[in-house]
Amino acid sequence: MTAKKILTQGIVQGVGFRPYVYRLATSLNLNGYVRNLGNVVEIILEGDNIELFIKRLQNELPPIARIDSFKVLDIDESNFDEFKIIESSDSYSGISVIPPDIAICDSCLAEIRNPTDRRYKYPFNACTDCGPRFTVIDSVPYDRDKTSMDEFPLCDDCLIEYQNPYDRRYHGEAICCSDCGPQMAIYKKDKLIDSNNPIKLGAEKLKEGKILAIKGIGGTHLVVDAYNDEAIKELRLRLNRPNQAFAVMSSDLKSVQRYAELSENEIKTISSNKRPIVILKKNKNYNFPESLSPGLHNIGVMLPYSPMHYLLFDEGEIDTYVMTSANIPGEPMMIDNSEIINGISDYSLIHNRKILNRCDDSVIRFRNDELSFIRRSRGYTPEPYTINYDVNDLNILSLGPELDVTFCLATDAIAYPSQHIGNTNKLKTLNFLKESINHMKRITKVCDIDVVACDLHPQFFTTKLAYEFGVDVIPVQHHHAHAVSLANDYKIDEMIVIAADGTGYGDDHTSWGGEILYTDIKSYERMAHLERQKMPGGDLATKYPIRMLLSILNNEELIKNYIKYFKYGEIEIKNIFKQLETGINVGVTTSTGRVLDSVSAALEICNERTYEGEASMKLESAAYYSTTELELPLIFDKNELKTTEILEEVVKLYLKGHKKADIANAAQKTIANGLSELAIQSAEKKGITTIGATGGVFYNEAITNAVKNYIESNDYTFIQHKNTCCGDGSVSLGQAIVAKTKNNQ
């Protein structure tokens, strides 16, 4: 008789993997056992059908499971007389991962809608195929006593399901029912309301136009009726969020299709068990208030992913709600009950299960039907990336930039990305980063850090934090990190990359953001860039793009056409010109974002930034409605694209009365073509045929498409992010890869 040991790594804990192994082994008359070993599942087999077991195991996995590593070893027989699932151990420290939080499955959804089921209307229904994972686990192996469900001992009925290997709830650590699990309650401010159905009462309050906070799986949402203009404006006022678009949640796909356009890929993604927010184009039937998504041609949409979401729709009369994260802008989501009920909402739906790790909604946008992550978080974190290069044996922690931060833990050739952390210039968010690092270390068992990678910018809080770990620190240039994360998607050793965004600290100590780089992963060379422009007042030129426009034009006669946008009129204009002459508090930038913002200001689309990327996003939306092609000058000076000439022509065309949409479209296309031409010239110098695009500017579909067309029409291969963010969410991955490949030949 044959005997073998199998060690599997991947998403093999908390997904019904062990009961599946049990059922398969017993059906093939095999003896032995299966158990969790920290980050690995160990299977011992004796019998005559082991080869068939191995074949079927890899081809018939449970819905959420994924095997990344599969090792088969010969062992001596032990004469087992049956097959068992035995107690977990943490004696093995291999590479594995806890699965992300998964949307409620069809079976659990049917139960909460079935009046005869004992879990009817129970808002925490889950099984091994769905429900919370990452947000409820404290450490590995993934057993109930290491989760926030440990506070809810199973009742007799749930215990029978939990102990039955043939039940879909076998060792489903989040399972429970109304007799033994978490409960919901509703508050009016800090006063508890006695209610037999808090969710129904919450739906009624939403119908009345009230603001409702809902504590969910990985955080808290603020919710209002998406059709109620007054409620939306009140929410904006209380959040101090005057213009940034709100995401919405609709009850089903049919509701979404009434107001938005969806491709097959968008339908597949928004309906997947990961349930991200997907940025969709508004259609002609869009009938929500302008206050919902002001000045934009698109809107972020998601479908329900938790039982409580479905129950909220079932109990109410509204098919679409605003669902926005309950936090002060730049700070982490609220998860503490006392903080929630004392927040800005009129009413709060809360529960008594602890959220051990915040996890914000993921955000995805399709550009020309190609998926791009804007925020990779719930539903995806902490699924790891494979580093597709030769790596050193160091454990790396990489901390990302300062805004839109994620971090990575990298060991061997695996990088574990964190959920979205946010803006670490806020103390609460910086503390959230530290807490999340410790949490990720526990669940990955990557406890000892050898090297910390960080941004090149010396003043970032993440850079300062890097030096607090007491180990070697490797600073990585911002756009090089962007480029490396893109290259890893394609396993490319060297390429030319267009890195276009708002800002990144350059190795010449100026602000970069319109860069053509050559990279061979370990190093980079700056080949070309946009024209250097002065930034009067530093961040003021970002907040008020009219200041940036003044600087780029450097023309007093032209800028006087915009005098109404300067608070102190002509005096302020003269003072800014004087500031540019003296160089006092004046930065230098090659940022594509600042040029696009200036175009937006020149066309009077947006003259004050109230959220990240506002001016450029509104410019894209204006250009979306263009009907006529216009030409703008494309002038190069050696390795620079001249942007002053572009802005001058934009202003002249606007003053002549050309349509905003047409000028906006022409400006975007001209900048895209200019960057593309610089990239092609650089590729020719290096003898390289692949050109990539990275950075937040490439969330812009029109610019991405223009760059792609220009590069491919010149017979070069164009690549863009497919598994990672083109924005700052992927910087930590790039940093980790640079550190993992350093000094590795």
Side-chain angles (χ1 to χ4, degrees):
M1 187 166 62
T2 306
K4 292 187 183 293
K5 175 192 286 189
I6 300 173
L7 297 173
T8 64
Q9 301 177 50
I11 302 179
V12 290
Q13 295 192 50
V15 293
F17 185 75
R18 286 176 298 165
Y20 168 70
V21 168
Y22 173 88
R23 293 191 294 270
L24 180 58
T26 53
S27 71
L28 296 174
N29 297 314
L30 295 170
N31 296 330
Y33 66 80
V34 60
R35 65 172 171 171
N36 281 338
L37 289 181
N39 280 343
V40 170
V41 171
E42 177 191 46
I43 305 167
I44 301 296
L45 296 170
E46 289 182 351
D48 297 325
N49 293 316
I50 294 178
E51 292 305 319
L52 181 57
F53 174 94
I54 291 171
K55 181 179 179 181
R56 290 185 59 185
L57 178 66
Q58 297 178 84
N59 293 312
E60 302 174 9
L61 290 173
I64 310 173
R66 188 185 78 206
I67 294 176
D68 295 327
S69 172
F70 193 85
K71 194 176 294 183
V72 182
L73 306 170
D74 291 324
I75 59 171
D76 295 330
E77 294 180 42
S78 298
N79 296 316
F80 291 101
D81 57 7
E82 62 179 333
F83 193 89
K84 293 182 177 180
I85 299 173
I86 67 172
E87 191 173 334
S88 300
S89 168
D90 61 359
S91 61
Y92 188 92
S93 56
I95 296 170
S96 191
V97 68
I98 299 303
D101 299 313
I102 295 297
I104 184 173
C105 67
D106 290 342
S107 297
C108 286
L109 180 58
E111 288 171 345
I112 67 170
R113 286 175 162 171
N114 180 359
T116 65
D117 193 280
R118 71 187 189 89
R119 291 186 173 89
Y120 178 55
K121 292 189 177 183
Y122 183 58
F124 299 92
N125 196 17
C127 69
T128 54
D129 293 338
C130 69
R133 302 290 195 280
F134 178 64
T135 53
V136 297
I137 186 174
D138 183 59
S139 62
V140 292
Y142 179 57
D143 292 322
R144 195 176 180 97
D145 64 351
K146 294 180 176 64
T147 74
S148 57
M149 294 302 296
D150 186 43
E151 297 180 4
F152 304 96
L154 293 167
C155 66
D156 290 344
D157 289 336
C158 286
L159 189 60
I160 290 171
E161 296 168 329
Y162 185 83
Q163 293 175 337
N164 179 4
Y166 291 95
D167 194 290
R168 81 174 197 279
R169 289 190 168 87
Y170 177 78
H171 277 257
E173 309 304 352
I175 76 159
C176 53
C177 71
S178 57
D179 291 335
C180 62
Q183 302 293 326
M184 298 206 77
I186 189 166
Y187 283 74
K188 181 178 182 180
K189 291 300 182 180
D190 60 350
K191 304 298 182 186
L192 176 65
I193 301 174
D194 186 18
S195 173
N196 293 326
N197 192 337
I199 293 177
K200 183 177 182 180
L201 181 56
E204 291 170 355
K205 296 303 175 185
L206 288 168
K207 184 67 175 175
E208 294 173 10
K210 303 298 184 183
I211 298 172
L212 179 68
I214 301 179
K215 182 181 178 184
I217 302 293
T220 304
H221 284 116
L222 290 170
V223 186
V224 296
D225 176 359
Y227 297 94
N228 190 323
D229 185 46
E230 187 177 332
I232 294 169
K233 288 177 177 175
E234 180 62 23
L235 179 58
R236 289 197 176 285
L237 186 65
R238 296 189 198 180
L239 272 177
N240 190 26
R241 187 171 156 179
N243 293 308
Q244 188 174 3
F246 286 131
V248 299
M249 177 182 284
S250 286
S251 57
D252 52 33
L253 189 60
K254 188 177 290 186
S255 296
V256 178
Q257 290 171 322
R258 281 199 285 268
Y259 61 84
E261 298 175 10
L262 292 97
S263 68
E264 287 301 316
N265 282 332
E266 287 169 333
I267 290 172
K268 183 178 178 181
T269 300
I270 201 172
S271 306
S272 73
N273 63 7
K274 298 179 181 297
R275 288 291 202 280
I277 296 171
V278 179
I279 307 299
L280 301 174
K281 295 182 181 73
K282 302 171 182 175
N283 66 24
K284 61 182 180 181
N285 298 315
Y286 181 88
N287 64 341
F288 294 112
E290 174 62 17
S291 59
L292 183 62
S293 177
L296 301 179
H297 71 291
N298 46 28
I299 184 171
V301 184
M302 59 181 155
L303 293 177
Y305 57 83
S306 76
M308 65 186 78
H309 292 148
Y310 279 101
L311 293 172
L312 184 70
F313 286 111
D314 289 351
E315 298 285 6
E317 302 173 14
I318 301 167
D319 69 357
T320 303
Y321 294 111
V322 168
M323 284 264 179
T324 192
S325 299
N327 59 282
I328 296 170
E331 293 190 359
M333 285 186 296
M334 298 177 185
I335 57 173
D336 180 77
N337 285 349
S338 61
E339 187 180 17
I340 296 166
I341 64 177
N342 287 292
I344 66 167
S345 63
D346 299 309
Y347 293 84
S348 302
L349 265 175
I350 62 170
H351 57 75
N352 58 340
R353 180 174 69 196
K354 291 178 183 175
I355 297 172
L356 297 184
N357 206 23
R358 293 176 178 88
C359 199
D360 215 328
D361 297 313
S362 293
V363 184
I364 285 172
R365 183 177 182 185
F366 282 81
R367 302 160 303 165
N368 304 299
D369 221 26
E370 292 284 337
L371 183 148
S372 177
F373 282 100
I374 294 177
R375 187 166 70 205
R376 186 183 185 272
S377 202
R378 177 189 52 74
Y380 298 90
T381 301
E383 291 183 358
Y385 292 112
T386 298
I387 299 175
N388 294 308
Y389 306 99
D390 293 335
V391 296
N392 55 44
D393 59 0
L394 302 174
N395 289 339
I396 307 293
L397 169 64
S398 55
L399 297 175
E402 185 169 56
L403 306 180
D404 295 326
V405 163
T406 66
F407 68 87
C408 267
L409 274 180
T411 184
D412 295 336
I414 296 295
Y416 297 95
S418 77
Q419 72 276 44
H420 172 73
I421 301 297
N423 299 346
T424 53
N425 54 13
K426 302 274 189 175
L427 179 60
K428 286 185 178 180
T429 309
L430 187 64
N431 289 334
F432 172 37
L433 170 63
K434 295 175 183 178
E435 293 165 6
S436 298
I437 290 169
N438 289 330
H439 181 264
M440 189 72 83
K441 287 167 69 176
R442 287 196 302 274
I443 68 170
T444 59
K445 303 194 79 175
V446 181
C447 299
D448 298 319
I449 304 300
D450 300 309
V451 171
V452 179
C454 64
D455 196 89
L456 197 62
H457 200 303
Q459 297 304 317
F460 281 178
F461 286 97
T462 48
T463 303
K464 295 174 181 178
L465 176 63
Y467 290 91
E468 295 179 11
F469 286 87
V471 297
D472 289 341
V473 174
I474 297 178
V476 181
Q477 199 280 325
H478 184 87
H479 300 101
H480 184 215
H482 269 298
V484 171
S485 69
L486 169 61
N488 192 66
D489 273 358
Y490 295 85
K491 306 181 185 180
I492 291 175
D493 292 323
E494 60 177 358
M495 67 174 178
I496 296 295
V497 66
I498 304 169
D501 60 7
T503 184
Y505 191 74
D507 52 26
D508 63 355
H509 312 302
T510 66
S511 176
W512 293 4
E515 311 306 311
I516 311 299
L517 303 180
Y518 161 81
T519 179
D520 62 0
I521 305 306
K522 297 176 187 177
S523 62
Y524 69 95
E525 179 183 350
R526 191 187 195 194
M527 303 291 294
H529 49 78
L530 296 187
E531 181 181 2
R532 293 177 176 89
Q533 299 288 1
K534 295 179 180 180
M535 291 181 66
D539 288 344
L540 277 177
T542 303
K543 182 174 175 60
Y544 300 104
I546 196 71
R547 296 173 67 93
M548 197 70 222
L549 176 64
L550 179 153
S551 176
I552 293 175
L553 291 174
N554 197 25
N555 183 314
E556 198 163 349
E557 289 306 310
L558 285 180
I559 203 66
K560 280 183 178 178
N561 291 285
Y562 301 93
I563 194 169
K564 63 183 178 181
Y565 296 110
F566 294 90
K567 186 176 181 180
Y568 301 104
E570 196 169 328
I571 293 175
E572 185 177 355
I573 291 173
K574 289 185 180 298
N575 284 339
I576 296 173
F577 275 115
K578 188 177 294 185
Q579 182 181 16
L580 291 169
E581 288 176 17
T582 62
I584 297 173
N585 192 23
V586 174
V588 175
T589 184
T590 54
S591 165
T592 312
R594 299 295 76 81
V595 174
L596 293 171
D597 288 355
S598 299
V599 175
S600 188
L603 298 177
E604 300 183 289
I605 293 169
C606 180
N607 286 286
E608 180 181 353
R609 188 197 73 171
T610 64
Y611 62 87
E612 189 73 24
E614 179 178 3
S616 296
M617 289 167 64
K618 288 181 174 178
L619 178 70
E620 179 190 3
S621 290
Y624 180 73
Y625 298 101
S626 173
T627 57
T628 304
E629 289 287 331
L630 297 175
E631 293 291 330
L632 298 182
L634 198 57
I635 301 171
F636 300 94
D637 182 9
K638 296 180 182 178
N639 66 340
E640 287 189 0
L641 170 64
K642 307 297 285 183
T643 49
T644 294
E645 283 79 357
I646 294 173
L647 263 298
E648 285 178 349
E649 189 63 20
V650 164
V651 172
K652 289 174 183 177
L653 288 172
Y654 185 52
L655 294 177
K656 288 177 182 176
H658 286 275
K659 284 173 54 180
K660 287 184 184 183
D662 295 334
I663 306 171
N665 181 58
Q668 289 184 157
K669 189 173 181 179
T670 302
I671 293 164
N673 289 347
L675 288 168
S676 300
E677 180 59 33
L678 289 174
I680 288 170
Q681 293 173 10
S682 300
E684 288 175 351
K685 291 176 185 176
K686 289 292 185 179
I688 289 173
T689 59
T690 299
I691 298 174
T694 189
V697 165
F698 287 102
Y699 289 130
N700 182 309
E701 185 174 30
I703 290 177
T704 302
N705 196 38
V707 169
K708 181 178 187 291
N709 290 340
Y710 195 102
I711 288 169
E712 291 182 343
S713 67
N714 283 275
D715 298 324
Y716 285 86
T717 299
F718 174 77
I719 62 171
Q720 57 187 315
H721 291 263
K722 57 181 181 179
N723 299 316
T724 50
C725 304
C726 63
D728 282 1
S730 68
V731 168
S732 63
L733 175 63
Q735 292 171 344
I737 295 170
V738 171
K740 284 294 290 181
T741 55
K742 194 174 180 66
N743 299 324
N744 192 69
Q745 303 300 327

